Amino acid sequence: MPKDIRNLAKDFQPKSVELSDNHEEKFLKKLQEEMPRKKKSYRWIYAAASVILLLGFGIKFYPDINSGDPDPKKTTTEQVVNLGDISPEMQKIENYYLTAINYEIASLEVTPENKALLDEYFEKISKLDADYKRLNQKLKKEGVNNDTINALITNLQLRLQLLIQLKDQVNDLQSKKNKNESITI
């Protein structure tokens, strides 16, 4: 037999229960006893990470003492003296020529027809580059003097002139090739 739940709810009278004054404290104490908090210590992870970082930096920046043959590409600022180290004006001159040289090299197009010509010129330019490095070492060893500075600037000028000549010859070679192609029978 079905009963109406509304009637049951009307008849229900909850018992009033009085809680003691320190009920909350007792409850929290029992809760702590049943489920104690465990703080996890991650100190060992922090220590391990620190050791790994220190080892990594040590390996990265530790100088290679056992190496008998120093890498010529690895140069420090103490080993190299450039024109830019002398004065801001010399820095501008050096930057101008080096930028122009790099631009000329980048603008060259290597083809099978001009590869031999390019190799010949690049051999001359590499000799001038080695001479430039030697002059920089001389500048470091002997100090600043006009002869060395003039030789460095002249070296940069010669490299740029060689590249301009090379570019002109490549253009002439290309125009002759195009001229010959247009005269086909």
Side-chain angles (χ1 to χ4, degrees):
M1 152 167 181
K3 292 186 180 181
D4 189 11
I5 196 160
R6 287 178 279 195
N7 291 335
L8 288 174
K10 286 181 189 176
D11 295 339
F12 180 71
Q13 293 291 327
K15 294 180 185 177
S16 65
V17 177
E18 298 262 341
L19 299 175
S20 64
D21 292 336
N22 58 356
H23 172 73
E24 185 178 351
E25 293 171 11
K26 289 179 185 177
F27 176 76
L28 290 176
K29 184 178 177 184
K30 282 185 180 181
L31 184 64
Q32 287 295 328
E33 290 172 1
E34 293 293 321
M35 302 181 83
R37 279 192 205 171
K38 291 185 179 178
K39 285 191 174 181
K40 293 184 179 181
S41 176
Y42 294 107
R43 289 183 183 175
W44 66 274
I45 292 177
Y46 296 135
S50 299
V51 169
I52 290 172
L53 278 173
L54 288 174
L55 284 174
F57 283 127
I59 291 171
K60 172 79 174 157
F61 296 110
Y62 188 73
D64 191 11
I65 296 172
N66 297 331
S67 173
D69 185 25
D71 189 3
K73 293 180 183 176
K74 291 182 180 178
T75 56
T76 61
T77 55
E78 296 174 2
Q79 293 175 341
V80 177
V81 176
N82 294 328
L83 286 176
D85 297 336
I86 297 170
S87 71
E89 291 82 16
M90 293 295 165
Q91 177 73 41
K92 287 179 184 178
I93 292 170
E94 185 179 40
N95 285 343
Y96 168 77
Y97 281 111
L98 290 176
T99 304
I101 289 168
N102 290 333
Y103 174 76
E104 292 297 328
I105 289 173
S107 67
L108 291 173
E109 183 178 335
V110 179
T111 62
E113 293 85 18
N114 66 7
K115 182 163 178 25
L117 182 65
L118 290 174
D119 289 341
E120 180 183 332
Y121 270 89
F122 283 137
E123 186 177 323
K124 292 176 185 177
I125 291 171
S126 68
K127 288 178 183 177
L128 284 172
D129 190 41
D131 190 39
Y132 186 77
K133 290 177 183 174
R134 183 187 57 78
L135 288 169
N136 274 331
Q137 290 300 322
K138 182 179 177 182
L139 184 66
K140 177 188 174 209
K141 187 186 293 182
E142 295 177 4
V144 178
N145 63 33
N146 286 337
D147 293 336
T148 308
I149 293 173
N150 289 335
L152 284 167
I153 293 172
T154 304
N155 182 291
L156 290 170
Q157 290 171 341
L158 286 174
R159 281 196 277 171
L160 184 59
Q161 287 174 354
L162 274 175
L163 285 169
I164 291 171
Q165 285 177 355
L166 173 63
K167 193 172 183 181
D168 290 341
Q169 286 187 358
V170 167
N171 288 339
D172 289 344
L173 196 87
Q174 186 67 28
S175 66
K176 287 179 184 177
K177 180 185 171 197
N178 289 341
K179 190 176 183 180
N180 288 340
E181 289 176 358
S182 64
I183 302 179
T184 58
I185 300 177

